[in-house]
Amino acid sequence: MNATIDRRRLLRGATLAGGGLALSAWVPAWAQSVSAGIVRPLPTVSGEDITLRIAHQMMTIDGRESHAIGINGTVPAPLIRLREGQNVRLHVENALDEDSSIHWHGLILPFHMDGVPGVSFPGIKPRSTFTYEFPIVQSGTYWYHSHSGLQEQLGHYGPIVIDPMGVDPIRSDREHVIVLSDHSRMHPHVIFKKLKQQGGYFNYQKQTLAGMLAGKDQSAKERREWGAMRMDPTDVSDVTGSTYTYLVNGHGPRDNWTGLFRPGERVRLRIINASAMTTFNFRIPGLKMTVVQADGLPVRPVAIDEMQIAVAETYDVIVQPTDDRAYTIVGESVDRSGMARATLAPREGMAAAVPPLRRRPLADMKDMGMGDMGGMDHGSGASMAGMDHGAAASGGAMAGMDHSAMGQGATAAPTAAACLPEHAAMGHCTPASAAGTPSPAAAGRHAGMDHGSGAIKHSMRDFSVAPEVKKTPTVQTISPMPVDRMGEPGQGLEDVGHKVLVYTDLMAVDRNPDVRAPDRAMRIHLTGNMERYMWAFDGEKLNEVRKPIPFLKDERVRVTLVNDTMMGHPIHLHGHFFELVTGHGEYAPRKHTIQVQPGGTATFDVTTDAVGDWAFHCHMLYHMHAGMMQVVSVRPRGGDAA
């Protein structure tokens, strides 16, 4: 008998006949590529008074121990199960030797209970207890996590499920909570140090000479052009499977966490991306999924085969397996350097084939913010001869905020550029085309273009197309021609051959509570410098910002996020839900987190109805830690406006 076992082949390998895990008895449990399956529900706490204890602990992933910070001795932290309409008191003991905190992600609550140190409360001191108390005014799937330093990366996160006050309109026979996350045995401060020293430190999937000779990836000409701009088309994820193990409910791929079902049942999966840095492409080969909630709020059912779920997003899906067999749950990292893996099965001990990792994506012209360059081959990193790219390199920027007259009681009617079809149809505004004037976006797309000479000159750091962006070292690139990418499936999923969820698929079940046209519009640029690993909004890191972004209570504002980087950014606004501007008008989907694709834009309308100071940031943990965060201040009208 051959004593050599190819673990990678087994991990990705063939279906285990009859669902049995018939690996040789002499292989130790920790070395088995597939365990017998962990059929274990998440520990749950509920009631009016809940006690949570934050402390150091060890956790075992795929048979190996690793240091963690958990809550009540578990990673993920216990599932907190609440009911709409109740009041809850959460007594949080910090047993660490450093400050800690808990932010209740997506919950609508008083700002001083939001749990962001330095913004809404002072934090929880070592060896002390803080009590959060607030009413539960919503239902759905949410989560909670530390907002202190890099503790979240170490395991300080957990799921929240809030049952509706009455009968749940989403019918299911059983449910499973699926918490996706990433874990490294390397300390998060060491990870951050390495990123500061070399932004692409963890990228082991760069293009090679051997690959070029084999005809893979970019051509030699394209590689020279991208190299001249110091841009790396393989720079898709900052931290990769080279150091991360991707988890489902705290378990690694070999642990094989298993959720049970009976054939024919409607099974509700509450999917939470609680990772620090990983965008997941989520699918269950052989099973259709029907999306029924996004970020905790109901949406009209959408049947899909796959979705890209950004950091901090949640989706509820219904699956209905009819066969008496196992199905593999796949959470593939966006750069395809690894996957989270689990199983749905009728019985314990079953497993299904684990698909191989797909070919990793390459950034292209659209990811560089040149999405409107019609006639050019965007799919392969088209030729850039004749373009003036200036001082470009990989990275990102956040620019274009209109701070004028904000918080001073003055409002302006939305510009023609801000008039989208749904508001025009409601008679609220006149589209730019009807007004006979080009929009600022259109003007920006032509800035720097020399049409007379036949050469296209696009400076990749042209501040004239983004006058709101501060000229700082944090701004490495500015997208010359960013386009709305909310109708796209996400990086690497354009040609997978099956239905992938896009934001434009989502429609709210109920009419939105506020359907007013925006009072004003603002642009916010997502900026960064990958080489120095600095990230910011509008070129200003959090430690450089002198005052918060001011709003008045109940303002209606249209916000366009412009991604000046070649990396997706999940942007989260605390204390509010906003409506995605995707053409669905009064039934626009409402979310608290939105993924802005590389080199693209995303637009939402928000009613600033929650008085207080709120965090606003990229939910990539190391991006936020490096400065991609600001504070939003909502003040009462006629009061002490900031």
Side-chain angles (χ1 to χ4, degrees):
M1 183 181 201
N2 188 349
T4 301
I5 293 181
D6 183 344
R7 294 181 188 169
R8 181 175 298 242
R9 180 173 58 81
L10 283 174
L11 179 62
R12 299 178 178 178
T15 305
L16 299 173
L21 302 177
L23 294 175
S24 299
W26 54 265
V27 179
W30 61 265
Q32 293 181 6
S33 293
V34 180
S35 80
I38 295 174
V39 182
R40 184 185 306 153
L42 291 168
T44 302
V45 294
S46 61
E48 298 286 332
D49 281 274
I50 295 171
T51 298
L52 303 173
R53 186 175 187 269
I54 305 166
H56 293 285
Q57 66 174 78
M58 301 301 289
M59 64 184 296
T60 302
I61 299 170
D62 288 342
R64 300 182 69 192
E65 276 201 331
S66 185
H67 169 250
I69 293 178
I71 294 181
N72 292 8
T74 70
V75 175
L79 165 62
I80 299 177
R81 190 117 201 177
L82 304 171
R83 181 168 291 278
E84 182 183 9
Q86 77 168 95
N87 286 286
V88 66
R89 289 173 297 278
L90 297 130
H91 310 284
V92 180
E93 177 192 351
N94 178 15
L96 304 176
D97 294 323
E98 60 185 88
D99 287 10
S100 192
S101 59
I102 293 181
H103 163 59
W104 314 99
H105 189 100
L107 297 198
I108 301 301
L109 38 62
F111 83 94
H112 58 284
M113 292 289 142
D114 191 50
V116 182
V119 177
S120 55
F121 88 136
I124 308 173
K125 298 299 179 186
R127 313 295 172 179
S128 69
T129 298
F130 180 85
T131 298
Y132 295 87
E133 183 172 3
F134 48 87
I136 303 301
V137 299
Q138 63 206 99
S139 62
T141 303
Y142 304 94
W143 65 296
Y144 61 108
H145 59 86
S146 172
H147 232 289
S148 300
L150 301 175
Q151 294 172 3
E152 181 187 331
Q153 174 75 95
L154 284 165
H156 188 340
Y157 54 81
I160 300 173
V161 171
I162 304 175
D163 295 309
M165 191 178 301
V167 176
D168 195 331
I170 299 172
R171 184 176 61 83
S172 63
D173 299 305
R174 75 168 73 201
E175 67 176 44
H176 296 294
V177 175
I178 305 291
V179 180
L180 302 171
S181 61
D182 44 32
H183 182 82
S184 175
R185 292 169 63 84
M186 185 181 294
H187 193 279
H189 287 292
V190 176
I191 292 176
F192 186 71
K193 180 181 178 180
K194 291 183 180 298
L195 290 170
K196 291 292 287 184
Q197 293 170 334
Q198 181 183 343
Y201 180 90
F202 296 101
N203 182 5
Y204 287 16
Q205 299 191 103
K206 293 179 181 290
Q207 298 183 111
T208 63
L209 175 60
M212 184 178 69
L213 295 176
K216 296 178 181 179
D217 301 329
Q218 291 181 322
S219 67
K221 181 174 182 292
E222 290 166 347
R223 294 188 192 206
R224 284 194 301 271
E225 290 168 345
W226 282 67
M229 295 184 296
R230 296 160 66 195
M231 282 185 166
D232 181 1
T234 69
D235 184 18
V236 175
S237 294
D238 290 350
V239 191
T240 70
S242 65
T243 187
Y244 275 155
T245 300
Y246 301 108
L247 310 182
V248 175
N249 293 344
H251 299 288
R254 291 196 294 270
D255 289 334
N256 187 28
W257 181 89
T258 302
L260 300 180
F261 69 86
R262 291 189 182 92
E265 283 186 325
R266 287 172 55 89
V267 182
R268 181 176 185 169
L269 304 179
R270 297 180 181 266
I271 308 162
I272 301 165
N273 186 349
S275 66
M277 292 292 290
T278 305
T279 300
F280 286 103
N281 295 326
F282 185 92
R283 70 191 195 276
I284 307 175
L287 272 186
K288 280 276 186 184
M289 300 181 288
T290 300
V291 180
V292 291
Q293 277 193 359
D295 284 357
L297 300 184
V299 294
R300 299 183 188 183
V302 182
I304 62 167
D305 298 292
E306 187 168 4
M307 69 170 75
Q308 186 168 102
I309 177 168
V311 177
E313 288 188 308
T314 74
Y315 286 98
D316 286 27
V317 303
I318 298 292
V319 296
Q320 193 164 9
T322 56
D323 296 332
D324 186 43
R325 69 178 183 89
Y327 298 85
T328 297
I329 297 172
V330 175
E332 188 178 51
S333 66
V334 67
D335 69 326
R336 277 100 187 238
S337 62
M339 71 168 67
R341 174 267 179 141
T343 297
L344 278 180
R347 292 174 298 282
E348 185 175 355
M350 299 180 71
V354 180
L357 292 169
R358 296 174 292 190
R359 184 178 177 182
R360 58 101 168 90
L362 287 180
D364 59 16
M365 298 278 290
K366 185 177 280 191
D367 298 324
M368 266 200 279
M370 296 183 179
D372 264 4
M373 296 186 65
M376 299 195 70
D377 180 6
H378 294 162
S380 61
S383 173
M384 293 169 251
M387 297 183 193
D388 175 15
H389 292 284
S394 68
M398 187 171 188
M401 284 182 166
D402 175 13
H403 295 292
S404 61
M406 293 167 61
Q408 303 301 318
T411 58
T415 64
C419 185
L420 272 82
E422 60 268 32
H423 287 292
M426 296 164 65
H428 291 313
C429 56
T430 304
S433 57
T437 57
S439 70
R445 285 195 294 269
H446 292 282
M449 298 176 70
D450 183 355
H451 295 284
S453 66
I456 303 175
K457 296 181 179 179
H458 290 295
S459 170
M460 289 297 293
R461 201 168 182 264
D462 183 359
F463 286 92
S464 70
V465 302
E468 309 88 343
V469 178
K470 309 300 184 295
K471 296 182 180 180
T472 68
T474 310
V475 184
Q476 197 171 25
T477 57
I478 294 176
S479 298
M481 297 190 302
V483 294
D484 186 337
R485 304 193 71 176
M486 297 170 75
E488 299 182 21
Q491 204 167 14
L493 295 179
E494 300 87 352
D495 302 309
V496 292
H498 55 237
K499 173 61 182 172
V500 181
L501 181 72
V502 297
Y503 282 145
T504 51
D505 289 331
L506 301 175
M507 287 186 68
V509 171
D510 300 315
R511 184 173 182 263
N512 291 327
D514 190 350
V515 296
R516 295 176 295 158
D519 301 311
R520 58 187 174 90
M522 56 193 290
R523 281 196 312 164
I524 301 173
H525 287 247
L526 317 180
T527 60
N529 185 322
M530 188 66 177
E531 291 184 350
R532 298 174 67 175
Y533 208 75
M534 300 187 299
W535 303 92
F537 292 162
D538 291 338
E540 285 189 307
K541 296 182 295 180
L542 177 62
N543 65 348
E544 299 168 338
V545 175
R546 294 291 175 262
K547 58 183 179 180
I549 304 169
F551 290 93
L552 292 177
K553 187 178 187 302
D554 294 327
E555 271 196 288
R556 187 78 171 146
V557 183
R558 172 157 295 174
V559 178
T560 297
L561 302 171
V562 183
N563 190 348
D564 289 323
T565 82
M566 289 174 58
M567 186 168 292
H569 295 284
I571 303 302
H572 173 48
L573 175 60
H574 287 222
H576 296 78
F577 279 84
F578 46 74
E579 293 84 58
L580 305 189
V581 180
T582 53
H584 295 306
E586 298 178 355
Y587 292 88
R590 303 177 70 218
K591 295 182 94 274
H592 51 60
T593 304
I594 183 172
Q595 176 83 334
V596 189
Q597 293 293 337
T601 68
T603 301
F604 62 79
D605 291 341
V606 61
T607 300
T608 53
D609 54 3
V611 171
D613 294 330
W614 304 97
F616 175 62
H617 60 91
C618 175
H619 224 290
M620 294 282 192
L621 182 61
Y622 298 110
H623 291 188
M624 180 174 64
H625 193 66
M628 204 171 197
M629 176 174 172
Q630 288 196 22
V631 177
V632 165
S633 183
V634 180
R635 293 291 174 256
R637 292 181 181 271
D640 299 327

